[in-house]
Amino acid sequence: MAKAEYNKTHNGSDNNSPQTEELQVGFIGNPNSGKTTLFNAYTGAKLKVANWPGVTVEKKEGVFKSHNHSYKLVDLPGIYSLTSYSIEEKVSRQYILSDDVDVIIDVVDASNLERNLYLTLQLIEIGKPVVLALNMMDIVEERGMEIDLHRMPEMLGIPVIPVSARKKTGLDILMHAVSHHTEIEPENDPIVVYSDLIEDKITKITERLREHNPDIYNPRFYAIKLLEKDPEIMDTCPVDVSDILDKSYETEIIKQKYDFIEEVIEEVLINRQERARRTDKIDRVLTHRIWGMPIFFGIMGLVFLLTFALGDGIKGIFEGWLESLSIWVDSSLSAINAGPILISLIVDGIIAGVGTVLTFLPNIAILFLALAFLEDSGYMARVTYVMNGIMNKIGLSGRAFIPMLLGFGCTVPAIMATRTLENERDRRKTILITPFMSCSAKIPIYVLLSGMFFGKLASLAALSMYIIGLVAGLLTSYAATKVENKIDQLKAPGEKPEVNQLLIELPEYKNPNLYSILIYVWENVKEYLAKAGTTIFVASIILWFILRFSTTGYVEDMSQGFGAAIGRFLVPILEPAGLGFWQISLSLIAGLAAKEVVVSSMGILFGIINIDEAGISTIYQSLEAIGFGPLNAYAMMIFVLFYTPCIATLGVIAKELKSAKWTTFVITFQLAFAWLASVIVYQIFKLILY
Amino acid sequence: MMTLKDCRRGNVYIVEKSMLKQPGKRRLESLGLTEGTLISKLNEAIDGSIIFLVRGSRLAIGKDLADDIIVRDMTESDIRGKKNGWGKRRRNRHGKGGI
């Protein structure tokens, strides 16, 4: 009886979404299961990246065609379970429960079957067609294990297809299985059978749900979720089941699912070998209780040293190219009798503005290469453990260190990464301090200023920005936590402040995949190039225009132009910080568009096209002439380190904070902090030195 | 009463009881830290954070969470009951009344 109704409803829902040409396939799996690698193997670089409605969780879509079938592939966030306690899990569950999806591909790391199957069992309970993609079979074989591919689908009741996302094997068979598994035959027995106590309650709840709505689709899933007291399902439950729900059975349900998984493992996994000896060995060094942290700081020091020292070597080649380009453009333009204003716009405006920024490409590529290496090897997760002690002291969990680390590359993805922090306060604090981690766009400014004024100590001066930024970030969070606790004490005296505990999976170390690292570096370099071609290009033209024009038209002397007037406006405010020059304040304003524009504007202001030795000495002489010395340069670096990030970052911050009040606070705080810090540095050193 | 913190590195213990509070309790249970499962501490940091192995997953947790995981030594009967030291056999769970 019950089965017949289930059948009817199920077929009914299929009729509503008739089998069209296109199948919509959702990719789901644990973090580190190789889900995204598999997804990329199908879609290649042709992706549509958007957000899930209403939240900033990334939604990737791609199209795949094979054997007259067209598949719309949707990549879901990497999750461990399907509750409604995190944004990622909520988004995934709502998508799977929706009518949009036809088939779910559950990507499972075969070398860690036990934990991965937990999500699989939850997916099966939802009652949609699931195909299991058994990934990383090569690692299983390497360790001498075997998986019974005949018994496994029998026990789980779903197709199991071995694949290798890295070696791109099994891809066609997997999609073939998907196209033949769009409908499920409802079986008599559910896959996981719980204890009598729970099963009795499930039966009672499903009966009551059916009384209310005979057409209900998969009442067993809702019954189980109600027994887990899932808030989202409880809120939408149409019938009163409070007499059956005497307590939450979540713990029991989780445990009994794992009991069933143990049974499956027992039957399908042969020569079980849990531990990766290599990971143990590496961890003994990298997560050492004393050496772990010095090693981490050593690695980061090396990363920045490479970025500056090695990057500068390669930069020389780029400078040569730029030099020849600008000479060639200048002479060809003169040859075709172009007007002096046009030549000035192209050579002094565009080439000087965009070109100076482009020569820093090697530095930036090296930095992103290093970050990709840390991430792909599995080390990044360890950093949260190594830094947890310090992070706890400033009121954050070690987990908040990942966004901070990513912030050294680009602040935009770093701010987005704060989503993994569950606690609203932790997120806010992390968003506040992440911009203090100097992003790659600030590298050109540091290199330029320290190269000009600090001679042999240039690398050290640049490196000091990273240390000062990190320390200031930690202190800011510490102070913010103190304030929060004070407010809590006033509101509810005597309550202990809530400390957010670290909880993270440490994936096994693996040799970084060259292909995925190169894709990551290329994506970031492309972003940098695109920025040079758009934001910096436009900013350079605008800068050239406001510098070269005044109410009387084109001016030879830039100090007569609009730009100088705008810059002079801020001079009194920046004076105490040693930055009271219209040229400097103008370039700082311009830097709000993108931090690289500070350097572009210097190029345009001082009429140089290339930040090479000759260019640097030109700027140096011009700056010295207006009384801008090493101390002013250092104060300017400090100001740049702390002041309001670029427009792109502000946009993300506003989106993530979802509050105009907090966004305004962040902007004001950063401006005030930058001004205060540079004033203090400038005034103290002036007292000591002069 | 012995907690995960008191474990000797590398030895295998049994999770006897979890005193964890939500949401940490739910998250750790979903990752396989259920009562009766085997657990092994791999590393401990100065601040008391711990790396441990449970059901093939390597997890890092903060001190307060580690303090709430009560473990006990493996006994003779545990070893007999668990083939290969990990995982135990429980048959006949298909269909009601199997337990």
Side-chain angles (χ1 to χ4, degrees), chain A residues 434-482:
Chain A
T434 296
F436 287 179
M437 311 301 121
S438 293
C439 75
S440 60
K442 291 175 186 169
I443 291 174
I445 309 171
Y446 298 158
V447 172
L448 176 68
L449 288 171
S450 55
M452 271 191 288
F453 291 99
F454 301 109
K456 284 208 178 84
L457 296 174
S459 288
L460 205 66
L463 216 58
S464 71
M465 287 301 120
Y466 290 88
I467 297 163
I468 294 172
L470 181 64
V471 171
L474 297 180
L475 289 177
T476 302
S477 168
Y478 179 77
T481 309
K482 282 271 165 219

Side-chain angles (χ1 to χ4, degrees), chain A residues 168 189 233 625:
Chain A
K168 300 193 178 184
D189 296 323
I233 305 289

Side-chain angles (χ1 to χ4, degrees), chain A residues 6-63:
Chain A
Y6 177 75
N7 249 333
K8 197 179 79 193
T9 327
H10 184 73
N11 291 339
S13 79
D14 266 357
N15 291 339
N16 290 339
S17 52
Q19 286 274 313
T20 45
E21 293 270 309
E22 194 174 69
L23 273 180
Q24 193 167 135
V25 184
F27 278 63
I28 196 162
N30 283 183
N32 309 310
S33 62
K35 176 178 62 69
T36 303
T37 316
L38 185 65
F39 182 81
N40 287 344
Y42 281 110
T43 60
K46 282 173 286 174
L47 285 179
K48 203 180 98 191
V49 182
N51 278 349
W52 292 91
V55 290
T56 50
V57 177
E58 208 169 68
K59 180 186 189 182
K60 283 194 212 155
E61 285 180 10
V63 175

Side-chain angles (χ1 to χ4, degrees), chain A residues 147-191:
Chain A
I147 292 174
D148 186 338
L149 291 172
H150 178 72
R151 187 70 184 119
M152 197 169 161
E154 243 175 37
M155 289 188 85
L156 296 173
I158 55 169
V160 175
I161 314 292
V163 296
S164 170
R166 287 189 159 209
K167 292 176 185 159
K168 300 193 178 184
T169 56
L171 300 187
D172 284 341
I173 304 169
L174 178 62
M175 267 318 151
H176 187 75
V178 165
S179 66
H180 286 276
H181 193 63
T182 53
E183 275 178 61
I184 43 170
E185 292 293 323
E187 283 175 52
N188 245 336
D189 296 323
I191 295 299

